[in-house]
Each structure stands twice: as C-alpha cells, then as structure tokens.
Amino acid sequence: MIIVDNLSYSYPQKDLYNKISFTLEEGQHCAFIGSSGSGKSTLIDIIMDADNYMFNGGLEIDTRRKIGYVSQFSKLNQETKVTVYDFIAEEFIKLQGEITAVCNDMETSIEIDQLLEQYQQLLDAFDAIGGDNYESNINSKLNLAGLKKQKDLIVSELSGGEFKLIQVIKEMLISPDLMIMDEPDVFLDFENLNSLRKLINAHKGTLFIVTHNRYLLDHCFNKIVHLENMEVREFDGRYIEYNFSLLQTKIELQELAIADDLEIARNEALIDRLRDISSYNAEAARGKSLNARVKIQERLLKNRINAPFVDIKQPKIDFESNNYIEETIALKVNNYCVSFEETLLENVEFEMKSTDKVALIGLNGTGKTTLMKDVFLNNSESIKVHPEITMTYLSQIQGETLDETNTIMEEFLESGFNTYNEVEVYLSNYSFDKEGIYQTINSLSGGEKNILQLAKVACTNANFLLLDEPTSHLDTYSQIALEKAVEGYKGGILMISHDYYSIVNSMDYVLIIENKKIRRMSMRKFRKMIYSSHFDIDYLQLEEKKKKVETQIAFALKDNKFEVAKKLATELEELIGKLIFL
C-alpha cells in the first residue's frame, strides 16, 4: 500500500528524516507515533502530495488506490448549511446527479456510444464506493458513532468533536483503499473518543493514523510505525507489546552503550598519556604502544553500541509565580447564561478559591470554551474576579494566543523578553534549540505550538491559569511534564480537558456541565462516572499503573540506574500480561 525507502527530508532549520524506511500492507491498521515535532504530519503531507516536496529516497504509492484523509486542523465552517446526512452523502448525491443527467442526455442525443461509455464509468464509480447501499451504510455508521440523532441537523450546529467524527464517517464511506488520519482524537470528549474507537475497529480497509492517545493505541492497531530522532522503527503487533519491547531494548542498549563509552574514554586517556610521553621520549617501544592503542581505539569506535532509539525529550514546564495571594475567593460566577441559536448554559453558579485546581468537563459543544473566554475577558456582570487575581489563558485554537506569522524569537521578544540570549536560554527548557527558534510558528507541529503556548503561559507570572485543552497534540512525556508543573503550582487553575489521566493526576475536583447547568463533582465521583459510562475500570486502573512504571523506567535510564530499570521492567511485564487479556 505504501513503501517508504531510505527517505530523507530537511527543512532549512531542521533535519527531519535520515534514510527512513517502512512499508504499509493492505488491511493493516497502523498507528504512526513519535514525539511532538518529530515530523509525523510532514510525512503525511509528503505521502498525500509528494510532487510538492524535494526529498531524497523512494516513496511508492499505487496511484490506482483511493486515499481518504482527515486533517488534525480541520475546522467547522459556520457557513455550511447542509444537513449532516447530505454532507456525508455528498459524493453519492453528486454521482447520482451525474448519472441522471447522462440518462436524460441519452433520450435526445445522437452520440449514444459516447454517452453509454460515460454512463458505465459513472456506474462503476458509484458501485466502487458502495453506492447501492449508501443510505443504509450512512445510517449504520451514524448509529455506530452514537450520532443518529444528529442526522438531520445542519452541519454548522455540530460541536467540534461531532464534526470530527462526521468527517471520519464521510471519508470511510467512500470506500478508500487507504485511510489517513492525523490526530483524529484531538478535542474529543470521552463519549466521542469511544465512538472513534468503534469506527476505527469496524473499518475494513487500511488505516494510517497519527495519535498520542493511549486508549486508541491500546485498542485499535496491529502495526506500529515509530518516528523518532530522524529514524523509524516498525513493529507488526499491538502497541502495548511494541512499547514493552522498546523499553527492554532500550535498557539493554543503553547499558552496553555506557560501558562502551567508558572503555573508549579510558583508552583515549591512555592514548593521550602515551602521546605526552612520546613527545620527550622517542623510544621505538613507546611508538609501538601508541600505535597499538590507536588501533584498539579505532576498533572500539567502529564496534561501539549506538545510543538507544528513543531519548527522553521532556520540556521543563514551570508555572511558578511570585505573585501568589492568600487563599480567598478568586472567581465567582452567578446567574451566568450563554446562548447562540440555542441556550447552552443558563443560571450557572459556582465559585473557585485562589488555590483550587479544577477541571471543567462536559460533552463537546456544551459551552465550556465560551465560559472560559468570558472568565478571561471578565466583561460579564455575572462573573466577578478578585482584584488581586492576574489571569493568563491557553487556547485550544492556538492562533488566538500565538501570532503564527512570527518566528518563535519574535513572539517572545514581543512578549517582554529583552534579548535574543534571554529567549534562547528560556526556550531551551522547552526543547527548542538555538536554530529552531528562528523558524516561523506556522511551520511547527500542533504539539510544538502547544508547548510554545505553555512556555508563554509560564513566563507571565500569573496567579490564576485558564487552560483550554492543554494536553492536545502533546506526546506522553510532555503530558507528564505538564502534570508535574500543575502539581507544583500554588495558584488557581481552571482547565478544560478530556484527558482522564491529566484530570485525576492534577485536579482537586471537577465542574461538570449537564443539562445546561454546572455542578461540582468530587474526584471519587468523577472516577466512578468514567468507569460506569465510558471506560472499563480494570483497564483504566491497570493503564494508570503501567504508565507510572514506564515513566519510572524512563527516568531510571536517564540516571543510568540499570538494575532499577530491569526490576521495574519485570513489574511492567506483569501489568502488560493482565492488560492483554482485558
């Protein structure tokens, strides 16, 4: 289906791939994984439109194959006035209209042979996408995704998460030989995430999907392509098995690599000593010893074990502020209402203390982002903010807080930094090197843009953070860094999130939107709700333990504590054995 052969590609400021190779075969459901900014979306762009990229190496895609595509940045057009059903059925309705037009032409035209040929081509195209059963297929997919009630809604009335699922359904229904999706899970609520899992698993064709979502990775794929540090590894099997084999290999290789490095360093020191001696003592035996040592060093360097495939690249997010205030009521919302074409929230009341860390949750389209923006702007009589509270805001729409035409350097100079060196030193903590900060923000991946937003939030010295989907597009290690930063922060946080682990690991309690109202929910009740309505309790608890052990292994390796890592790997293997049979 896809053959990538020794492909290399670079931006002016960054090398992305160094002779990477992998294959995707018919029928495989493949997860394409890698850290933020490693080049996953760019490689998809190359696959979709290879003629627009100057790369070295080979890329083979059967041109006769039909490709479906769902972008990570697809937006809902508020001007789209067609119904959900007609939006999904667009290709079928178009072909039906063309078939009808040809039939009408055949009644009056004398060029019947040409029209018959055209008619047959249209029938073949209609048949190729399952046209005879398209109405029942649309209903079946909508039912599978839990969107049957939305069938007659106008598309512009959908939430962002619902629209994402509708796009997936639309592309799947035209029977593509290959379906490519770039982070289709971003911003999906718990219910819609489950719907996406069902759609992926029910799809009979070949899938190539970029995702960081552990739930999807554990439940949807039989092949893994992992892009990291300009290299690729591919694995036929489940993600859970791949991740464990990767950690085992990492432990083994890193231990051997450290031993090799020590031996090379010892031999290099001996060579230096022999060179010093030979500078004032020219005995032949000294020269022979030096030559022998140099040859040994050449052999050691030739045979040294390469560093492990994956290095930890974790940003050092720090929200610390010198602007904290004593615990008091920081935010009070009373009789708050919001409506567009219909009422989203009415008579909402809640308050937050200056030290509270609160998750705002609810289904897609229930008004969470609208409420958060109104809190930030503080321009509603229903919203009262303590005068000593200073707020900063991270948006799920990254262009609202980042000028994407700026370079990263320009963005931070405009944010208050005085010198280039200050920006370079500050952003080095967020995994941006000196060369990288001179690229324009619009060239960054979604994950890199979110890390950049987090860096801007951290430098504001605010004592109250408003975070709208801060984990979106982030890889696992960046998510862990964010959780640690939230944990260490002593101010208030209101966070919109659909990430179960970020909520339970970081928040004090939950504000949940239900029936246009907001009510407070303890973390214990939140866990119980998630277990009963969305995810299996055994899976979530085992996955949470697994993630903690994997993180402990990663940091044990970072400190070269190999015996600790090996012991933890045994514990991890037991957890994986239990997860496989769930």
Side-chain angles (χ1 to χ4, degrees), residues 339-354:
S339 61
F340 294 104
E341 292 185 359
E342 64 176 82
T343 300
L344 292 179
L345 295 168
E346 59 183 1
N347 303 323
V348 166
E349 296 184 3
F350 69 90
E351 60 183 39
M352 283 180 60
K353 295 179 182 176
S354 56

Side-chain angles (χ1 to χ4, degrees), residues 170-188:
K170 182 176 182 176
E171 292 296 309
M172 284 183 168
L173 280 169
I174 61 171
S175 304
D177 300 297
L178 170 63
M179 180 87 173
I180 295 177
M181 295 192 276
D182 194 354
E183 298 199 47
D185 51 278
V186 171
F187 306 135
L188 294 189

Side-chain angles (χ1 to χ4, degrees), residues 201-228:
N201 287 338
H203 187 65
K204 303 299 183 184
T206 308
L207 293 172
F208 190 58
I209 300 178
V210 175
T211 183
H212 297 297
N213 188 282
R214 298 282 289 256
Y215 182 69
L216 294 182
L217 285 170
D218 284 346
H219 289 87
C220 298
F221 302 101
N222 55 23
K223 182 182 178 73
I224 308 296
V225 171
H226 188 172
L227 174 63
E228 206 77 53

Side-chain angles (χ1 to χ4, degrees), residues 500-501 530-531 535-544:
Y500 169 80
Y501 298 109
I530 294 297
Y531 297 155
F535 305 120
D536 181 80
I537 181 172
D538 293 329
Y539 166 77
L540 281 174
Q541 290 182 342
L542 284 171
E543 177 60 27
E544 190 170 5

Side-chain angles (χ1 to χ4, degrees), residues 512-524:
I512 182 170
I513 297 176
E514 289 179 328
N515 301 318
K516 303 176 185 178
K517 307 286 187 184
I518 288 181
R519 65 183 177 92
R520 178 168 168 161
M521 178 182 288
S522 69
M523 203 55 64
R524 181 182 64 81

Side-chain angles (χ1 to χ4, degrees), residues 486-531:
V486 167
E487 183 181 357
Y489 184 67
K490 296 180 178 61
I493 296 176
L494 181 62
M495 180 179 78
I496 297 173
S497 181
H498 298 301
D499 185 88
Y500 169 80
Y501 298 109
S502 293
I503 294 172
V504 298
N505 291 336
S506 308
M507 298 290 103
D508 298 327
Y509 60 90
V510 164
L511 292 174
I512 182 170
I513 297 176
E514 289 179 328
N515 301 318
K516 303 176 185 178
K517 307 286 187 184
I518 288 181
R519 65 183 177 92
R520 178 168 168 161
M521 178 182 288
S522 69
M523 203 55 64
R524 181 182 64 81
K525 287 187 177 178
F526 169 71
R527 287 175 181 266
K528 187 176 180 181
M529 179 193 76
I530 294 297
Y531 297 155

Side-chain angles (χ1 to χ4, degrees), residues 4-21:
V4 176
D5 184 25
N6 286 318
L7 188 146
S8 298
Y9 180 73
S10 299
Y11 286 138
Q13 303 97 338
K14 185 177 182 180
D15 294 331
L16 281 184
Y17 324 122
N18 181 26
K19 295 183 177 180
I20 63 171
S21 299

Side-chain angles (χ1 to χ4, degrees), residues 9 68 127 172 180 200 203 246 249 269 291 308 364 392 448 466:
Y9 180 73
D127 183 62
M172 284 183 168
I180 295 177
I200 289 172
H203 187 65
L246 185 66
T249 303
N291 289 335
N364 291 130
T392 190
E448 288 174 313
L466 301 171

